[in-house]
Amino acid sequence: MATIIDTYHVPVLLEESVGGLDIKHDGTYVDVTFGGGGHSRRILQELDGGGHLYSFDQDADAEKNVSPQDNFTFVRSNFRYLKNWMRYYGVEGLDGLLADLGVSSHHFDDETRGFSFRFDAPLDMRMNKRGGENAADLVNERSEEELADMFYLYGELKNSRRIAKAIAKAREQKPILTTQDLMDATLPLFPKERGKKDMARMFQALRIVVNHEMTALKEMLASATELLKPGGRLSVITYHSLEDRIVKNFMKTGNAEGKTTQDFYGRVETPFRLVNNKVIVPSDEEQQVNPRSRSAKLRIAEKREPADK
């Protein structure tokens, strides 16, 4: 797989997440979050000529990290379309799927994309720059009530209504077009003791909505549940409670809401067996080397055999 830009993104929980797939050398695998290619490259090291890896990423920048390889296929698409693309390639079942749901270091460090409040940049935040609403569209066009709901649901900010009101007032004077414009409008609302953390949550909420992240995650996990062969593994790294809750629910019950169904004997029916009952987190050493790994949580599950009830 050739060229991987080392500074693009440092893969988190690399050995743990790939090891959790229990890779078969001739198996069919998917990495739905290619990014800098670190996890994909590690998976490919475990495959022989009979195995194949499909890797997804909707960002053109990520595609620059790809070099052709016979048993590797790059899919430039949102992973929500996993099922459609597997049908297109004639793949009927998967032996494993890996997802590293975090935003890559590249996105946070790219001064032009608007993912971080560290830089004054256009308020964009789109993973796929080819179209769709950007963050500036949201803050300028959504109602004050919609903004408040957005910051509460996806940023878990208790003062979401005050933030929304400040944005609505600021945009009456001039459009909010850059990260600095947004900061100027809202900075007084963030207490010094936790200001950076809360600002990060505000940016997180905008990013989630711009990229439809929660909907895409649910659709991908539903497709993965259907596509995985019995014994196939699902290895997912999350970075905040919203996505972790969805992943946890899918692995325990087979749906995003965590609704359980029972068989005739009262046993919970679920498509997965949990491989790690306790969530896996980065070691102290990894967190020191890569501080952005600190919030990572790894969950691994295995598709049950039809008779394994």
Side-chain angles (χ1 to χ4, degrees), residues 24 92-96 224-233 271-272 301-308:
K24 302 175 182 177
E92 296 182 357
L94 300 175
D95 294 291
T225 302
E226 182 177 342
L227 285 165
L228 282 169
K229 302 174 185 176
R233 294 283 185 92
F272 292 109
E302 181 176 289
K303 183 78 171 286
R304 290 178 180 270
E305 297 284 347
D308 184 13

Side-chain angles (χ1 to χ4, degrees), residues 4 40 168 251:
I4 301 294
S40 286
M251 290 185 175

Side-chain angles (χ1 to χ4, degrees), residues 24-29 46-53 70-71 95:
K24 302 175 182 177
H25 298 305
D26 60 349
T28 302
Y29 294 86
E46 300 296 322
L47 300 179
D48 59 24
H52 201 95
L53 174 66
D70 289 343
N71 62 345
D95 294 291

Side-chain angles (χ1 to χ4, degrees), residues 78-269:
N78 189 304
F79 59 47
R80 71 190 304 174
Y81 304 115
L82 169 67
K83 186 176 177 180
N84 293 345
W85 280 104
M86 292 301 95
R87 185 186 301 119
Y88 173 81
Y89 285 111
V91 176
E92 296 182 357
L94 300 175
D95 294 291
L97 181 146
L98 184 146
D100 178 5
L101 299 176
V103 179
S104 72
S105 299
H106 167 75
H107 288 126
F108 282 129
D109 293 337
D110 186 338
E111 299 182 19
T112 68
R113 301 289 292 271
F115 283 95
S116 173
F117 53 79
R118 291 183 295 129
F119 312 110
D120 185 15
L123 200 56
D124 194 324
M125 299 193 191
R126 291 173 299 169
M127 296 289 189
N128 183 350
K129 295 185 289 185
R130 289 176 289 178
E133 273 188 318
N134 60 30
D137 295 328
L138 292 183
V139 298
N140 287 291
E141 297 173 9
R142 296 292 178 97
S143 69
E144 183 177 329
E145 183 177 1
E146 287 176 310
L147 289 175
D149 289 344
M150 184 191 313
F151 294 133
Y152 183 78
L153 291 172
Y154 300 121
E156 299 179 295
L157 290 164
K158 294 180 180 179
N159 61 341
S160 62
R161 296 196 179 282
R162 293 178 62 203
I163 295 171
K165 185 175 182 179
I167 290 173
K169 183 177 180 180
R171 72 190 185 189
E172 290 177 358
Q173 305 302 316
K174 66 170 186 175
I176 298 173
L177 302 176
T178 68
T179 55
Q180 189 60 52
D181 290 341
L182 181 59
M183 294 286 290
D184 290 342
T186 60
L187 190 59
L189 299 175
F190 295 111
K192 289 183 179 180
E193 61 271 16
R194 64 173 192 274
K196 287 186 177 180
K197 185 175 182 179
D198 283 355
M199 281 187 282
R201 288 181 172 182
M202 177 177 69
F203 274 65
Q204 170 187 292
L206 289 170
R207 190 200 76 229
I208 286 173
V209 175
V210 165
N211 295 290
H212 309 284
E213 291 181 24
M214 297 300 102
T215 301
L217 176 59
K218 293 174 185 177
E219 292 179 7
M220 183 273 288
L221 289 172
S223 295
T225 302
E226 182 177 342
L227 285 165
L228 282 169
K229 302 174 185 176
R233 294 283 185 92
L234 182 62
S235 181
V236 185
I237 304 168
T238 64
Y239 292 84
H240 58 77
S241 60
L242 299 174
E243 60 190 13
D244 186 60
R245 190 178 305 123
I246 292 171
V247 172
K248 181 180 179 180
N249 285 343
F250 255 100
M251 290 185 175
K252 285 192 172 183
T253 67
N255 61 77
E257 295 75 26
K259 295 179 180 177
T260 59
T261 57
Q262 297 179 339
D263 64 13
F264 179 79
Y265 300 100
R267 295 175 297 191
V268 174
E269 294 182 310

